[in-house]
PDB file of all heavy atoms in Angstrom:
ATOM      1  N   GLU A   2      15.654 -53.182  -8.967  1.00  0.00           N
ATOM      2  CA  GLU A   2      15.897 -54.418  -9.710  1.00  0.00           C
ATOM      3  C   GLU A   2      16.849 -55.291  -8.901  1.00  0.00           C
ATOM      4  O   GLU A   2      17.857 -54.812  -8.388  1.00  0.00           O
ATOM      5  CB  GLU A   2      16.521 -54.086 -11.076  1.00  0.00           C
ATOM      6  CG  GLU A   2      16.400 -55.232 -12.066  1.00  0.00           C
ATOM      7  CD  GLU A   2      16.882 -54.810 -13.444  1.00  0.00           C
ATOM      8  OE1 GLU A   2      16.121 -54.127 -14.161  1.00  0.00           O
ATOM      9  OE2 GLU A   2      18.030 -55.160 -13.796  1.00  0.00           O
ATOM     10  N   ASN A  28      22.036 -46.715  -2.839  1.00  0.00           N
ATOM     11  CA  ASN A  28      22.150 -45.768  -3.955  1.00  0.00           C
ATOM     12  C   ASN A  28      20.833 -45.033  -4.186  1.00  0.00           C
ATOM     13  O   ASN A  28      20.829 -43.828  -4.385  1.00  0.00           O
ATOM     14  CB  ASN A  28      22.554 -46.498  -5.241  1.00  0.00           C
ATOM     15  CG  ASN A  28      24.008 -46.916  -5.171  1.00  0.00           C
ATOM     16  OD1 ASN A  28      24.765 -46.369  -4.373  1.00  0.00           O
ATOM     17  ND2 ASN A  28      24.381 -47.893  -5.974  1.00  0.00           N
ATOM     18  N   GLN A  42      18.388 -25.407  -0.840  1.00  0.00           N
ATOM     19  CA  GLN A  42      19.581 -24.568  -0.993  1.00  0.00           C
ATOM     20  C   GLN A  42      19.380 -23.509  -2.058  1.00  0.00           C
ATOM     21  O   GLN A  42      19.794 -22.363  -1.889  1.00  0.00           O
ATOM     22  CB  GLN A  42      20.792 -25.452  -1.341  1.00  0.00           C
ATOM     23  CG  GLN A  42      21.391 -26.108  -0.100  1.00  0.00           C
ATOM     24  CD  GLN A  42      22.469 -27.113  -0.450  1.00  0.00           C
ATOM     25  OE1 GLN A  42      22.585 -27.510  -1.599  1.00  0.00           O
ATOM     26  NE2 GLN A  42      23.234 -27.523   0.535  1.00  0.00           N
ATOM     27  N   ASN A  47      18.588 -17.832  -3.493  1.00  0.00           N
ATOM     28  CA  ASN A  47      17.819 -16.786  -4.158  1.00  0.00           C
ATOM     29  C   ASN A  47      17.457 -15.665  -3.190  1.00  0.00           C
ATOM     30  O   ASN A  47      17.469 -14.501  -3.547  1.00  0.00           O
ATOM     31  CB  ASN A  47      16.536 -17.373  -4.766  1.00  0.00           C
ATOM     32  CG  ASN A  47      16.838 -18.203  -5.998  1.00  0.00           C
ATOM     33  OD1 ASN A  47      17.916 -18.078  -6.573  1.00  0.00           O
ATOM     34  ND2 ASN A  47      15.900 -19.038  -6.393  1.00  0.00           N
ATOM     35  N   ASP A  51      18.572 -11.595  -3.453  1.00  0.00           N
ATOM     36  CA  ASP A  51      17.666 -10.448  -3.514  1.00  0.00           C
ATOM     37  C   ASP A  51      16.797 -10.420  -2.256  1.00  0.00           C
ATOM     38  O   ASP A  51      15.708 -10.960  -2.241  1.00  0.00           O
ATOM     39  CB  ASP A  51      16.805 -10.530  -4.788  1.00  0.00           C
ATOM     40  CG  ASP A  51      15.960  -9.262  -4.946  1.00  0.00           C
ATOM     41  OD1 ASP A  51      16.175  -8.295  -4.183  1.00  0.00           O
ATOM     42  OD2 ASP A  51      15.084  -9.248  -5.812  1.00  0.00           O
ATOM     43  N   ALA A  54      13.017  -9.113  -2.383  1.00  0.00           N
ATOM     44  CA  ALA A  54      11.999  -9.771  -3.197  1.00  0.00           C
ATOM     45  C   ALA A  54      10.877 -10.328  -2.319  1.00  0.00           C
ATOM     46  O   ALA A  54       9.710 -10.178  -2.634  1.00  0.00           O
ATOM     47  CB  ALA A  54      12.620 -10.876  -4.015  1.00  0.00           C
ATOM     48  N   ILE A  86     -21.180  -2.991  23.035  1.00  0.00           N
ATOM     49  CA  ILE A  86     -21.430  -2.713  21.610  1.00  0.00           C
ATOM     50  C   ILE A  86     -20.156  -2.916  20.773  1.00  0.00           C
ATOM     51  O   ILE A  86     -20.218  -3.420  19.647  1.00  0.00           O
ATOM     52  CB  ILE A  86     -21.976  -1.280  21.433  1.00  0.00           C
ATOM     53  CG1 ILE A  86     -23.260  -1.090  22.253  1.00  0.00           C
ATOM     54  CG2 ILE A  86     -22.218  -0.980  19.954  1.00  0.00           C
ATOM     55  CD1 ILE A  86     -24.383  -2.043  21.906  1.00  0.00           C
ATOM     56  N   PHE A 101     -23.298  -6.969  27.821  1.00  0.00           N
ATOM     57  CA  PHE A 101     -24.590  -6.279  27.804  1.00  0.00           C
ATOM     58  C   PHE A 101     -25.357  -6.550  29.095  1.00  0.00           C
ATOM     59  O   PHE A 101     -25.995  -5.654  29.653  1.00  0.00           O
ATOM     60  CB  PHE A 101     -25.392  -6.753  26.583  1.00  0.00           C
ATOM     61  CG  PHE A 101     -26.676  -6.006  26.367  1.00  0.00           C
ATOM     62  CD1 PHE A 101     -26.685  -4.788  25.683  1.00  0.00           C
ATOM     63  CD2 PHE A 101     -27.875  -6.506  26.838  1.00  0.00           C
ATOM     64  CE1 PHE A 101     -27.862  -4.091  25.478  1.00  0.00           C
ATOM     65  CE2 PHE A 101     -29.062  -5.815  26.632  1.00  0.00           C
ATOM     66  CZ  PHE A 101     -29.055  -4.608  25.957  1.00  0.00           C
ATOM     67  N   THR A 103     -24.070  -7.574  32.051  1.00  0.00           N
ATOM     68  CA  THR A 103     -23.345  -7.308  33.302  1.00  0.00           C
ATOM     69  C   THR A 103     -22.729  -5.918  33.345  1.00  0.00           C
ATOM     70  O   THR A 103     -21.847  -5.664  34.159  1.00  0.00           O
ATOM     71  CB  THR A 103     -22.220  -8.354  33.489  1.00  0.00           C
ATOM     72  OG1 THR A 103     -21.305  -8.231  32.401  1.00  0.00           O
ATOM     73  CG2 THR A 103     -22.766  -9.754  33.543  1.00  0.00           C
ATOM     74  N   SER A 124      -8.380  -8.000  19.744  1.00  0.00           N
ATOM     75  CA  SER A 124      -8.601  -8.824  18.555  1.00  0.00           C
ATOM     76  C   SER A 124     -10.090  -9.014  18.304  1.00  0.00           C
ATOM     77  O   SER A 124     -10.905  -8.930  19.232  1.00  0.00           O
ATOM     78  CB  SER A 124      -7.916 -10.186  18.724  1.00  0.00           C
ATOM     79  OG  SER A 124      -8.420 -10.845  19.860  1.00  0.00           O
TER      80      SER A 124
END
Side-chain angles (χ1 to χ4, degrees):
E2 198 173 281
N28 287 341
Q42 279 173 346
N47 287 342
D51 186 9
I86 303 301
F101 186 84
T103 62
S124 59

